[in-house]
Amino acid sequence: MIEITINGKKISAPKGTTVLRAAESAGIQIPKLCDHKELTPYGGCRLCIVEVKGMRVPIASCTLPISEGMEIETETEALKKSRKFILSMLFSERNHFCPFCQVSGGDCELQNAAYREEMTHWPIQPGWNDFPVDTSHPYFALDNNRCILCRRCVRACAEMAGNFTLSVAERGAKSMIVADTDIPLGESTCIKCGSCVQVCPTGALIDRTSAYQSHDKNLQEIKSVCVGCSVGCSIKIMVRDNRVVRIEGDWDGSVNHGAMCEHGRYHTTNDNRVRLTTPLMKKNGKLEPVSWDEALNAVQEKMAKESVAALASTRLSAETLAAFKDLFESKLHSKLVTSIEEGVPTAAVAKFAETHEGFEGKLDALKTADTVLCIGANVNRSHMVAGFLFKRNLNAGMNLINIDPDETTLDEVARLSLKPKAGSDHSLILALQAVIAKEELERKSLNIKDADARIKKAVAETGISEADLTKAARMLAHAVSPMIVFGKGVTAQRDETLIEALYQLAVQVGAVDDERNNILSLKGESNSQSAALMGLEQPFNPNGEKVTYIAVGDDYVAKKLVEKAAKSPYLVVQASYESKLTEQADVVLPVSIWAEQEGHYINLDGRMRKAEKAINAPENVRDNLDVLTELAKRMKLTLDADWEKAIRERRSSVALN
Ligand code: FES
């Protein structure tokens, strides 16, 4: 620890801490604009200047590392004068007529800094250029007239999303933020994650759907978990008048550190599916609105007499999944109780975990891995925020070996892309092991005796040349910190011996040893892991069941499921939105969406977090868990499942914490 003095107060902070962060940790606020805690210090705006004893001129505190015995002043008259001058320059350079700006009135960091310095006007004649306003993007607008060129957006695009769409064009007073080669933002390589908007300190980047809806001080902020996919990003749900105004990434989130993807940030608040607001029953071939009493009684009467096949969405909470399993499997003794994902992303992994409990590691390992073998995972599409970690690390020099029969966005950035024939992954992995053994690059020997035969077989089965197999094997074996990531392309094969082969490869190259478990599957939806731990993962193959009960919640419905469900003699759908599935149902039970309910989720690397209720559901809509409990009650059954026990009945592939 290093000792410094700020404004006469003694402070200790670790080596490498900047003066600005050391001050903040001691509760001393230094004005700042270009600095952001999740971005690399830039030192552009100079608002954070401080006086350091022994230094000739004031210096930016956001880029200055502390050193032993430093004596710092942050609020001298000279500093205040300089800050006022800096702010005056900023206000004069562009159009900052605050009353017209959507962030004016407490949400603008520039305006707030001016109030802090007690500015009432700026003494410099404005002399701004007219910049075009770019409204081509579906989710946000870019107004360079409000920009202070702090480059937070440029850094967020590069450092949080690893995307490099935004940059600065022109020079001096004409400098402006542009997308790619100065093309409209809506036509650019922007991946619509919204990180740039979240870090903008002024109204230069504004969210189209929440602009002019409310100042932050009037919004209720509810910390929760995104249920968009198994990454499980920490989010802040911004609510006003029982309406989700916008979603923000939580800077304190242990998985995402503020980053979010398009789906999590924008699709959740721009869902244009038609909401179900009343129970429906098929009468004379047509769905008619009915009371909850009528709908629930009809369902319970049917289920009391007939065999039931039951499916639940893996977007539902662990509490709901446990109650679902309890009702259909334990109480009604249904033979077919599963999830909508049917174990595709988890079943083979869960089977392997029976003998290798906790064999998977943490997503964070991607941050330090120098070589990653990614197989069967279109991570930039299916788990975008995990994809950000890939892209960030790639920019820092990580080697990526991408294996997928189909084209994926990782192909463009991979050091080596292998396109094996579909279903030949096992042979390929065994060949990689064989090359590594043959070239004596093993960190742990697998005692492979048939190396040449394996390689020959793989060349024939995968269609990949021996040269490419050798290249991939060498890259992985030479890594200091290797990692293996696999997705649905692998797990959909439902073959635990393939998982075992990948695990052995990880052991062989040192990705798994006494200190690390650098192997991870991406899973699927937000609660795939909970469903797997509860055993809700068998294929949905009805075998004469007379009733099918599908608790789809606010999930999307695949065509394949609609086709399978169409064969059911009596279909009950518990859903939030109209779909092809509800159209063919005999009874539809309207239920709450993600923001209207609470419950626990386990993400892809075992973090158990609670998603909070942020708004109330429409009047005649019920909570997913309540519907199951009420149905059980009407059947004179008591649901007594304990979700925390339910997820510990099986060995987990990831350590739960
Ligand atoms: Fe330090 Fe901008 S906050 S220079």
Side-chain angles (χ1 to χ4, degrees):
M1 294 296 262
I2 289 176
E3 276 225 338
I4 58 170
T5 308
I6 303 182
N7 300 344
K9 187 175 173 185
K10 288 240 182 285
I11 292 166
S12 304
K15 193 178 170 201
T17 310
T18 62
V19 170
L20 182 75
R21 290 280 170 270
E24 283 177 349
S25 68
I28 299 167
Q29 296 306 325
I30 300 173
K32 59 182 190 181
L33 280 172
C34 68
D35 179 78
H36 191 283
K37 73 175 181 129
E38 283 302 325
L39 304 175
T40 308
Y42 167 60
C45 73
R46 317 310 282 179
L47 197 66
C48 67
I49 47 172
V50 293
E51 288 176 7
V52 181
K53 196 173 172 190
M55 289 193 181
R56 267 189 320 113
V57 288
I59 189 159
S61 60
C62 67
T63 48
L64 179 67
I66 55 170
S67 60
E68 193 61 46
M70 238 179 194
E71 287 178 37
I72 298 145
E73 290 293 333
T74 69
E75 297 296 332
T76 65
E77 279 313 308
L79 285 173
K80 284 185 182 174
K81 206 169 154 203
S82 296
R83 280 188 200 131
K84 254 190 190 168
F85 177 72
I86 291 165
L87 287 165
S88 298
M89 295 289 278
L90 284 174
F91 274 99
S92 303
E93 203 170 43
R94 306 229 165 165
N95 181 348
H96 294 294
F97 275 140
C98 299
F100 298 95
C101 181
Q102 77 101 17
V103 294
S104 172
D107 299 347
C108 175
E109 292 181 40
L110 175 66
Q111 193 183 47
N112 293 346
Y115 284 135
R116 184 189 189 275
E117 300 308 317
E118 297 173 338
M119 278 181 71
T120 51
H121 65 289
W122 61 93
I124 304 167
Q125 272 295 320
W128 56 68
N129 292 300
D130 248 351
F131 291 98
V133 180
D134 185 342
T135 56
S136 61
H137 197 282
Y139 303 127
F140 43 86
L142 167 61
D143 183 354
N144 266 293
N145 298 289
R146 308 267 191 228
C147 179
I148 56 168
L149 297 169
C150 67
R151 289 166 172 79
R152 276 195 195 174
C153 56
V154 176
R155 284 177 286 152
C157 188
E159 295 174 20
M160 290 172 70
N163 213 50
F164 297 94
T165 295
L166 297 178
S167 62
V168 180
E170 301 289 353
R171 315 189 87 181
K174 289 193 174 151
S175 299
M176 60 189 282
I177 302 298
V178 295
D180 296 330
T181 50
D182 196 4
I183 60 171
L185 201 48
E187 294 164 24
S188 70
T189 53
C190 170
I191 50 162
K192 307 183 184 77
C193 69
S195 302
C196 55
V197 183
Q198 192 169 318
V199 296
C200 181
T202 67
L205 278 158
I206 60 165
D207 187 280
R208 292 174 71 123
T209 43
S210 68
Y212 298 100
Q213 302 272 320
S214 172
H215 288 309
D216 282 358
K217 62 176 181 285
N218 298 324
L219 293 176
Q220 198 190 346
E221 176 190 303
I222 295 119
K223 289 199 173 207
S224 191
V225 180
C226 177
V227 298
C229 78
S230 59
V231 175
C233 292
S234 297
I235 58 171
K236 291 189 287 186
I237 310 173
M238 311 302 278
V239 172
R240 185 172 190 183
D241 299 335
N242 200 44
R243 192 171 62 83
V244 176
V245 174
R246 69 170 179 271
I247 307 288
E248 290 187 359
D250 186 349
W251 298 113
D252 300 325
S254 60
V255 186
N256 54 320
H257 300 279
M260 290 201 70
C261 68
E262 178 189 2
H263 182 73
R265 193 189 294 270
Y266 295 115
H267 288 180
T268 39
T269 47
N270 294 286
D271 202 319
N272 51 18
R273 290 177 289 173
V274 178
R275 191 75 196 266
L276 290 159
T277 52
T278 184
L280 303 167
M281 268 179 75
K282 200 159 268 175
K283 292 182 177 176
N284 304 320
K286 233 178 116 214
L287 281 171
E288 305 273 1
V290 293
S291 68
W292 271 99
D293 251 353
E294 189 177 348
L296 289 172
N297 281 339
V299 175
Q300 71 90 9
E301 271 171 31
K302 202 82 185 167
M303 293 204 308
K305 289 190 278 194
E306 310 280 11
S307 54
V308 186
L311 276 97
S313 163
T314 41
R315 265 172 74 97
L316 295 172
S317 68
E319 291 86 335
T320 307
L321 290 173
F324 175 84
K325 181 179 152 90
D326 189 24
L327 173 62
F328 292 103
E329 197 174 284
S330 310
K331 304 293 184 327
L332 296 176
H333 309 291
S334 305
K335 297 250 174 349
L336 182 51
V337 183
T338 185
S339 78
I340 281 173
E341 289 188 288
E342 301 173 60
V344 168
T346 51
V349 177
K351 188 93 180 84
F352 183 64
E354 285 172 11
T355 50
H356 290 75
E357 187 172 11
F359 79 93
E360 293 191 86
K362 292 284 174 200
L363 188 61
D364 282 349
L366 268 177
K367 291 180 187 162
T368 49
D370 62 347
T371 300
V372 177
L373 183 139
C374 180
I375 177 164
N378 194 354
V379 66
N380 283 338
R381 172 126 27 101
S382 62
H383 297 74
M384 218 182 209
V385 172
F388 293 172
L389 294 183
F390 267 83
K391 291 203 286 179
R392 283 185 218 166
N393 215 3
L394 280 165
N395 298 328
M398 178 183 96
N399 294 316
L400 175 66
I401 306 159
N402 189 40
I403 302 177
D404 201 306
D406 300 320
E407 297 294 320
T408 78
T409 51
L410 288 182
D411 290 330
E412 302 155 15
V413 290
R415 179 71 81 83
L416 181 65
S417 262
L418 301 182
K419 301 273 159 225
K421 288 178 194 157
S424 64
D425 296 333
H426 200 166
S427 188
L428 189 151
I429 300 302
L430 292 183
L432 292 180
Q433 293 174 1
V435 174
I436 293 166
K438 215 175 138 186
E439 301 212 347
E440 297 180 2
L441 296 171
E442 291 176 297
R443 295 208 201 152
K444 181 145 197 235
S445 171
L446 298 183
N447 293 318
I448 294 168
K449 303 273 186 276
D450 56 346
D452 288 326
R454 282 189 187 191
I455 296 166
K456 202 171 159 202
K457 186 166 176 259
V459 170
E461 288 182 4
T462 63
I464 295 170
S465 68
E466 186 174 340
D468 275 349
L469 288 172
T470 305
K471 207 168 158 191
R474 284 180 187 162
M475 273 172 72
L476 193 63
H478 282 129
V480 176
S481 180
M483 181 164 188
I484 294 176
V485 176
F486 58 102
K488 271 194 210 170
V490 167
T491 54
Q493 297 175 46
R494 297 187 98 96
D495 177 3
E496 72 267 22
T497 64
L498 175 54
I499 311 299
E500 185 177 9
L502 277 169
Y503 178 75
Q504 283 175 343
L505 178 64
V507 171
Q508 189 188 28
V509 297
V512 171
D513 58 22
D514 292 342
E515 281 162 23
R516 56 191 171 189
N517 279 15
N518 287 357
I519 181 167
L520 188 66
S521 68
L522 290 176
K523 321 288 182 308
E525 294 209 75
S526 46
N527 234 349
S528 287
Q529 186 62 9
S530 291
L533 290 170
M534 293 180 201
L536 299 170
E537 52 179 14
Q538 59 173 309
F540 179 54
N541 293 322
N543 189 17
E545 283 85 355
K546 296 283 186 296
V547 179
T548 300
Y549 191 106
I550 304 182
V552 70
D554 58 3
D555 208 346
Y556 292 85
V557 180
K559 201 170 154 219
K560 202 176 108 202
L561 176 63
V562 177
E563 286 165 5
K564 281 191 182 180
K567 294 177 191 144
S568 172
Y570 192 83
L571 178 63
V572 183
V573 181
Q574 176 177 322
S576 309
Y577 296 103
E578 285 182 13
S579 67
K580 295 265 179 243
L581 192 64
T582 58
E583 271 173 29
Q584 64 191 28
D586 293 280
V587 180
V588 178
L589 305 171
V591 282
S592 46
I593 61 166
W594 62 278
E596 297 162 356
Q597 59 200 4
E598 61 176 29
H600 284 82
Y601 287 78
I602 303 176
N603 85 333
L604 81 178
D605 64 3
R607 293 171 227 229
M608 284 196 284
R609 269 106 25 94
K610 191 176 174 206
E612 299 291 345
K613 179 176 172 174
I615 53 172
N616 294 319
E619 204 182 329
N620 211 19
V621 166
R622 293 200 180 174
D623 185 277
N624 277 286
L625 180 56
D626 291 349
V627 172
L628 297 172
T629 312
E630 180 62 26
L631 264 176
K633 211 165 106 190
R634 284 169 194 248
M635 298 177 85
K636 311 253 178 306
L637 301 167
T638 307
L639 298 186
D640 47 14
D642 176 341
W643 72 270
E644 286 182 271
K645 262 195 194 156
I647 58 163
R648 297 197 190 266
E649 273 167 21
R650 273 183 109 182
R651 292 184 172 167
S652 175
S653 61
V654 284
L656 304 181
N657 49 42

